[in-house]
Each structure stands twice: as C-alpha cells, then as structure tokens.
C-alpha cells in the first residue's frame, strides 16, 4: 500500500488562489495532450517496426513489418547531421564588430561545452518521428554554466491552442528526481519524497520506487517577469517569488527557457506532426500486401494432397520423405489420392506493391538515387551528385526551418551570458588560419557605454546600451563530397588567377555573382590582400617621390630598421 503524501500548507508570497489555478491548468493541459502522448508512443513503435501486434492484437502470427519508415527517418537524419549548424554573429552597429567577431568564435565552444551536438542529434530523431523537438536552455547555478537539454516530449505541457509556446499562460515540465537528492535539497519536505514517480515514456508507463515526480511550473507575471514554482503533488516545495535574489524573475530575458523545433506545423498548436504520421498508412498497405504475398508463397511452395478416408494409404509413411517405400492396404488408384496446388498470385498484385513502395518514397522524398542507387544508365559522378542534390530539396527545406530554432537558442544563450557571466572566462578557440588562441570574455562585452551630451557637446552622463546581434547560420557540412567540391572550387579560383593582385577588381565582381559555401570568407580575404597591396603601392609611391627607400629594403645590411637613405646609396 502506497503511503499518503503529506500536504504542507503553503505560507509564501504567492496567492493561494493562483497556486490552485496553476494546478487546475496543469490537469487541463495534461488532458489536452493525452492524445498526442499516445501518438508519440505509437509512432515510436512504427519507427522500430514493432507495430504489427498494435494493429491486430488478437493475432498470434508474426505479421510482416518492413522498415521503410525507419529508412526514411534515418535518411533525413543523416542529411541533418551533414549540415550541422555553426553561428555567425553580425553586429547591428559598427562599434560592436569586435564583440560579434569574438562571440562567433566563443559560442560554438560554449555549445560544445554544453554537449549541444548530442542534444542536437537526439532532438532530430524526435523531430522526425513525432514532429516536434524541444530544447531546454537553462543556467546551472552549481556549475555556473549554461545547460542545454533535450526535453522529453512526454514530460512537457503547455496550452495546446496557441501557435507559440511563449504565448501559453503556464508551462509545466515534469521530472522524476532521485529521493536522496530531494531530501538533501529540501529537508523540510522529507516526508513527501516516497519514491513513487510514474514516468511516461515511449515504451510505456513505469513506476520508479527510488524517485519522486517534481513538476516545474513556469509562468509570466503582468510586469513581464518569469517565475517558477516547484510542486510535488499539491505541495509547493520551492518558488522563485519566495527566494532572495529572484525579485526580477528567474531569468532577465523573461522567456520560457524552451525552444520548440517543429517539423510540419499544426494550425494554432505549438506541436507539429512528423514523418511517421505522414507515411504510416502507405506503410500499412505495403505490409498487408506483403502478408498476402508471403502467405501465397508458403501455400504455393508446399505440395498438399486430397486423400479419401478409406484410401488404404499409410499417411505417416507418405508424409515422411525419408521413406523409400509407402505401404498401402488393398488396391490404390487416382481416386484415392489427388495432389492440390495453390494458384500463384497475379503479377498485378506484385506490381501494385511496388507502386505503393514508390508512392511512399515519393511522399517522403526518400528516392533511390539519394542513397547512391541509379537507373536509366546514369553513371557519371557529377550526374549522380546532381540527382542527389535535386532530390534533397525537401531535406534542405526542413533543415532551413530548424535553423530558425537554432538562432533562437543562440540568442537565448547570449541573454544568459549577458545576465550571469559577470566573471571573466577564458575560451580556447581556433582563429581564421586554424591556429589555437585563447579568448577572454565577460558580460561587460555585451553592454556598451553611451555618452549623453548637452547642446554644447559636453558629456553629462553615461548609460549602458544592450549590444544586439543578428545571427546567420553556416552549415558545417560533414559530407565528404561537399568538402571535396569546396576544395576543388578554391583550386579552380586559384588556377583562374582570382588571387593575383592585378585581377582583384575583376575577381570581386565575379565572386559576388557566384554561389558556393565559404564565398564570403574568400571575398573577405581578397579584400584584405587588396588593401595590403594598395597600402604597399602607396608606400612605394611615397618613397619614390621623396627619393628615399628604407635601409632594410635598399640592399640589405645591418642598418637600423626604419632608417631612410637616398636611393642608390646601397646597390643603386
């Protein structure tokens, strides 16, 4: 028998009516999302090709279950990983260019420290299967660093009738927390932590005796501040409004610390639908046709006989193919035993199955040539690549949509860095030429001093301005062919004379009309070379006009650097 949890009366600053409302809204959100949670469980079974018993629970036979859904999801997943995003921060004001440049180097390092790549991979599979992935961006007070987590779709609840989760009145995230940790952090509520957490997952509901379910309730107040209440059952065990230091809210940015990355959006709902929802009906019909074909093959491939009841044949010996002699009683003729053979299926059924497979591939854009297979005599590498790139339009569209969520995640990270990174931190970064450097950073770099001047131009006050950035996403393409193509592009530019000083002007015009990965970097480097070339020409022109050249350039020797001598003194 489960022990009743103690209900402790709340005595904090929050109105008890508001707490009751939060608990009612949690139950409402949970009820509204019940159908979605069931669909998530079902989708996971389809992904694992473990759905035959779900469709026909009374059957004892093993139903055919092909893995086309698994293949389609993994194909799209591979495309997403091949285009792993890297942020490039762009300043909104000229004075912020230095900060934007250093943040473009620091943010990827911070993401790596937060384990973002593993979260990115996990969330992409969730997004493809279920239609939605949720990133959580939190500040960890113990490690004094940013945590990025993949929030389980089964454990998050919000208003199901708004498009943007930030418009939800409440946001709830449930967690099964170890009892010992809870007792250590909240000793006054030890009696609550019995360890009877009921955890919903894709594999079903589980009872965990060593954990207790804790619900984090996030809400926004009228003044725009974000706060949080921790519930265990109906009892409040913690609240930011009751905690010193949180008078301005949990986070200064005032947003729910989650970002929804949706595959195919639903109207007026923060959650979307995924690949499984789109193609499981074609998959089901393919499996039904598979079942018909397999059953017919078994019947057609097995010889069966009609035997009279008084046919005088020893059936045991007749069915034993190791017996060379079969005994009979009396006379036996063709009427005593007669072979029967099942008819083979019409070719139409086989062709129809192939058409359904092609339909499924067409719907999801998972064509054969995207996986290296070709037909129709296409053998040239460039032709195969062109077909692959053309067939990846759907993937590129989906990936581009995910970059919007990635930008929001980076902006939320910057806001947490602006609020909490008040002590200098050192990051090991890679500079533009591939060498290792160390960069220093603190949140003062995200604030600018703005001088206030009077009508006469005298400074009478200074105020701080928040440094704002725009973000562009650069795909870090891990496809070996893409890297080879980019390298070949640079070699072609070199062989065409694009990096020759006399061609800089023409090169800039041509490059601006081109479209390839890394183009902006090439343009920037050519501009730098052009500026150096112009500076060198101006120096030489000035020296020739004065009739002087630097000693170090006039024929060598041990002369002091920077000393000028007349032309012709050393070697003419």
């Amino acid at each position: 028998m489960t022990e009743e949890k103690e209900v402790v009366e709340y005595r904090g600053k929050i109105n008890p009516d508001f707490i009751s409302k939060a608990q009612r809204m949690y139950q409402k959100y949970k009820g509204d999302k019940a159908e979605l949670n069931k669909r998530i469980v079902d989708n996971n079974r389809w992904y694992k090709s473990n759905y035959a018993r779900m469709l026909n629970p009374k059957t004892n036979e093993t139903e055919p279950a092909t893995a086309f859904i698994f293949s389609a999801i993994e194909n799209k997943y591979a495309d997403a990983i091949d285009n792993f995003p890297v942020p490039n921060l762009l300043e909104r004001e000229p004075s912020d260019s230095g900060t934007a440049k250093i943040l473009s180097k620091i943010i990827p390092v911070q993401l790596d420290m937060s384990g973002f790549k593993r979260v990115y991979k996990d969330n992409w599979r969730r997004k493809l299967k279920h239609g939605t992935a949720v990133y959580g961006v939190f500040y960890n007070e113990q490690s004094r660093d940013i945590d990025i987590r993949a929030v389980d779709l089964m454990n998050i609840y919000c208003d199901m009738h708004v498009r943007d989760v930030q418009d939800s009145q409440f946001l709830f995230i449930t967690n099964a927390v170890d009892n010992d940790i809870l007792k250590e952090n909240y000793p006054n509520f030890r009696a609550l932590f019995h360890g009877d957490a009921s955890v919903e997952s894709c594999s079903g509901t589980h009872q965990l005796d060593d954990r207790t379910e804790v619900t984090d309730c996030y809400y926004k107040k009228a003044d725009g501040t974000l706060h949080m209440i921790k519930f265990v059952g109906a009892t409040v065990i913690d609240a930011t409004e009751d905690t010193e230091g949180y008078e301005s809210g949990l986070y200064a940015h005032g947003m729910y610390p989650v970002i929804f990355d949706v595959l195919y959006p639903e109207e007026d709902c923060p959650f979307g639908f995924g690949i499984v929802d789109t193609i499981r009906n074609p998959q089901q019909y393919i499996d039904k046709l598979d079942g018909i074909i397999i059953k017919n093959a078994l019947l057609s491939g097995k010889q069966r006989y009609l035997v009279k009841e008084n046919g005088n044949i020893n059936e045991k010996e007749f069915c034993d193919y190791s017996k060379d002699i079969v005994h009979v009683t009396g006379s036996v003729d063709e009427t005593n035993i007669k072979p029967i053979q099942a008819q083979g299926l019409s070719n139409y059924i086989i062709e129809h199955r192939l058409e359904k497979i092609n339909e499924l591939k067409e719907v999801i854009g998972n064509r054969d040539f995207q996986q290296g297979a070709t037909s129709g005599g296409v053998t040239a590498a460039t032709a195969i690549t062109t077909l692959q790139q053309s067939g990846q339009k759907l993937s590129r569209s989906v990936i581009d949509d995910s970059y919007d969520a990635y930008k929001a995640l980076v902006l939320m990270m910057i806001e947490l860095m602006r609020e909490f990174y008040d002590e200098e931190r050192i990051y090991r970064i890679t500079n533009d030429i591939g060498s290792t450097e160390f960069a220093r950073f603190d949140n003062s770099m995200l604030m600018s001093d703005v001088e206030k001047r009077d009508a006469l131009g005298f400074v009478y006050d200074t105020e701080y301005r928040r440094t704002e950035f725009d973000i562009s996403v650069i795909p870090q393409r891990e496809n070996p062919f893409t890297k080879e193509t980019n390298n070949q592009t640079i070699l072609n530019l070199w062989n065409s004379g694009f990096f020759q000083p006399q061609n800089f002007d023409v090169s800039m015009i041509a490059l601006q009309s081109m479209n390839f990965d890394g183009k902006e970097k090439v343009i920037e480097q050519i501009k730098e070379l052009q500026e150096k070339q112009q500076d060198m020409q101006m120096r030489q022109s000035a020296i020739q006009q004065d009739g002087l050249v630097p000693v170090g350039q006039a024929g060598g020797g041990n002369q002091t650097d920077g000393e000028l001598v007349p032309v012709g003194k050393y070697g003419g």
Side-chain angles (χ1 to χ4, degrees):
M1 182 176 178
T2 303
E3 184 180 351
E4 290 278 339
K5 286 186 179 179
E6 179 184 356
V7 178
V8 180
E9 184 180 355
Y10 174 71
R11 299 183 181 276
K13 299 178 182 177
I14 307 173
N15 190 320
D17 291 339
F18 182 81
I19 294 176
S20 298
K21 179 181 179 182
Q23 292 172 341
R24 289 196 308 272
M25 296 305 292
Y26 172 63
Q27 295 302 325
K28 180 181 184 302
Y29 291 171
K30 197 171 184 179
D32 291 345
K33 188 168 173 276
E35 183 179 349
L36 174 59
N37 278 5
K38 181 181 182 301
R39 179 159 58 86
I40 291 171
V41 174
D42 291 346
N43 286 352
N44 200 58
R45 290 175 179 168
W46 281 89
Y47 170 73
K48 296 191 295 184
S49 300
N50 189 24
Y51 52 84
R53 188 61 60 85
M54 178 179 68
L55 296 176
N56 191 3
K58 295 181 180 180
T59 184
N60 293 321
E61 298 180 6
T62 301
E63 298 287 339
T66 50
F68 288 114
I69 287 179
F70 175 85
S71 175
I73 288 175
E74 290 303 301
N75 185 274
K76 292 290 186 289
Y77 170 80
D79 288 340
I81 303 307
D82 276 349
N83 292 274
F84 186 79
V86 176
N88 180 37
L89 275 72
L90 306 173
E91 66 279 5
R92 292 185 178 178
E93 297 193 14
S95 59
D96 299 330
S97 59
T99 303
K101 186 174 182 180
I102 194 169
L103 274 179
S104 295
K105 299 292 185 181
I106 287 175
I107 293 294
V109 178
Q110 184 66 56
L111 285 166
D112 188 57
M113 292 167 57
S114 302
F116 173 73
K117 192 161 191 177
R118 180 71 265 165
V119 172
Y120 179 80
K121 290 181 176 181
D122 290 344
N123 265 354
W124 255 102
R125 278 203 174 94
R126 289 190 176 104
K127 176 179 176 179
L128 292 169
K129 285 191 289 186
H130 313 306
T132 310
V134 181
Y135 293 91
V137 186
F138 309 95
Y139 179 72
N140 190 322
E141 294 183 346
Q142 295 180 342
S143 65
R144 297 181 60 80
D145 221 333
I146 295 172
D147 281 349
I148 299 178
R149 305 173 200 161
V151 180
D152 194 331
L153 287 178
M154 304 285 284
N155 297 334
I156 186 167
Y157 302 93
C158 63
D159 190 342
M160 296 291 288
H161 305 289
V162 296
R163 184 68 178 268
D164 188 347
V165 67
Q166 298 295 335
D167 295 331
S168 181
Q169 187 175 13
F170 294 93
L171 174 73
F172 300 94
I173 300 177
T174 61
N175 297 282
V177 185
D178 187 274
N179 292 331
D180 294 337
I181 295 176
L182 289 172
K183 289 175 182 177
E184 181 179 348
N185 292 336
Y186 304 100
N188 296 334
F189 300 93
R190 295 177 64 89
L192 292 172
F193 310 134
H194 299 309
D196 56 352
S198 177
V199 178
E200 290 185 274
S201 69
C202 291
S203 58
T205 303
H206 308 279
Q207 295 295 131
L208 303 179
D209 295 335
D210 60 339
R211 303 184 191 181
T212 298
E213 183 178 284
V214 178
T215 303
D216 293 342
C217 169
Y218 296 89
Y219 60 97
K220 298 177 182 180
K221 300 186 70 175
D223 58 3
T225 57
L226 174 72
H227 286 277
M228 183 184 71
I229 303 172
K230 280 186 179 291
F231 288 104
V232 172
T235 303
V236 177
I237 63 170
D238 200 0
T240 53
E241 290 195 58
D242 298 328
T243 305
E244 185 178 355
Y246 291 95
E247 292 78 11
S248 299
L250 180 62
Y251 297 129
H253 56 61
M255 296 181 287
Y256 293 133
V258 295
I259 295 155
F260 279 48
D261 187 6
V262 176
L263 185 64
Y264 305 125
E266 295 271 16
E267 292 295 332
D268 297 326
C269 180
F271 296 91
F273 61 96
I275 288 178
V276 180
D277 301 301
T278 307
I279 63 174
R280 65 180 178 183
N281 283 338
Q283 173 78 73
Q284 182 177 344
Y285 286 116
I286 292 170
D287 291 337
K288 285 182 177 180
L289 290 170
D290 272 345
I292 294 171
I293 294 170
I294 291 171
K295 190 172 183 179
N296 180 262
L298 291 173
L299 292 174
S300 301
K302 184 176 181 180
Q303 186 69 58
R304 303 171 71 209
Y305 299 88
L306 291 172
V307 180
K308 287 184 177 180
E309 287 289 344
N310 56 351
N312 303 325
I313 297 173
N314 188 324
E315 293 183 11
K316 185 176 181 181
E317 291 180 349
F318 181 78
C319 293
D320 188 350
Y321 288 98
S322 65
K323 298 290 185 181
D324 294 329
I325 298 174
V326 178
H327 293 87
V328 298
T329 303
S331 61
V332 179
D333 57 27
E334 293 181 355
T335 60
N336 289 16
I337 181 169
K338 183 179 180 180
I340 58 173
Q341 185 72 40
Q343 292 292 325
L345 290 175
S346 167
N347 285 336
Y348 169 77
I349 296 177
I350 308 297
E351 292 172 0
H352 185 61
R353 176 183 177 274
L354 294 175
E355 289 299 323
K356 294 301 289 185
I357 292 173
N358 290 331
E359 175 192 339
L360 185 146
K361 291 179 179 180
E362 189 69 26
V363 168
I364 203 59
N366 192 25
R367 300 175 182 87
D368 292 337
F369 53 77
Q370 291 177 253
Q371 303 178 55
T374 61
S375 60
V378 179
T379 57
T382 53
I384 294 172
T385 304
T386 301
L387 285 172
Q388 289 175 334
Q389 294 299 319
S390 176
Q392 288 178 353
K393 289 188 292 184
L394 293 177
S395 291
R396 288 196 295 270
S397 174
V398 168
I399 292 169
D400 187 65
D401 290 343
S402 75
Y403 287 165
D404 293 335
Y406 179 76
K407 292 177 185 179
L409 183 146
V410 172
L411 288 173
M412 193 172 287
M413 279 184 61
I414 292 174
E415 292 305 319
L416 292 180
M417 295 168 75
R418 192 195 309 273
E419 181 177 3
F420 296 106
Y421 283 23
D422 49 2
E423 296 181 359
E424 186 178 75
R425 300 170 184 238
I426 299 177
Y427 295 87
R428 185 178 67 248
I429 63 173
T430 302
N431 61 21
D432 294 338
I433 61 174
S435 301
T436 299
E437 292 182 355
F438 292 90
R440 300 177 182 274
F441 176 82
D442 62 71
N443 59 5
S444 65
M445 300 176 67
L446 297 175
M447 304 293 289
S448 301
D449 295 337
V450 179
E451 295 179 345
K452 291 186 175 182
R453 298 178 179 271
D454 58 19
L456 299 177
F458 293 102
V459 178
Y460 67 90
D461 195 8
T462 301
E463 66 178 5
Y464 289 102
R465 175 182 59 83
R466 290 165 53 89
T467 306
E468 303 289 348
F469 304 95
D470 294 319
I471 298 175
S472 65
V473 177
I474 302 173
Q476 183 180 334
R477 301 189 187 278
E478 298 183 1
N479 185 324
F481 181 83
T482 303
K483 292 180 180 180
E484 182 182 349
T485 302
N486 289 341
N487 293 340
Q488 188 61 44
T489 300
I490 299 301
L491 288 176
N492 291 338
L493 294 176
W494 178 269
N495 294 331
S496 301
F498 273 58
F499 298 97
Q500 297 297 323
Q502 64 272 20
N503 297 333
F504 281 165
D505 292 337
V506 178
S507 298
M508 293 292 291
I509 295 173
L511 283 170
Q512 289 172 356
S513 302
M514 293 182 180
N515 185 15
F516 60 90
D517 290 336
K519 180 185 79 171
E520 293 78 9
K521 189 66 180 177
V522 174
I523 292 176
E524 181 181 350
Q525 290 173 340
I526 288 182
K527 283 183 177 179
E528 291 178 359
L529 290 174
Q530 190 175 28
E531 290 173 358
K532 289 181 180 179
Q533 179 71 15
Q534 292 173 350
D535 183 62
M536 184 180 299
Q537 290 175 351
M538 291 176 62
R539 286 175 177 271
Q540 290 177 350
S541 176
I543 290 171
Q544 291 173 359
Q545 290 178 1
D546 294 341
L548 299 173
V549 296
V551 170
Q553 298 178 8
N558 298 321
Q559 292 86 352
T560 304
D561 291 343
E563 180 183 353
L564 297 179
V565 296
V567 175
K569 183 175 181 180
Y570 295 101

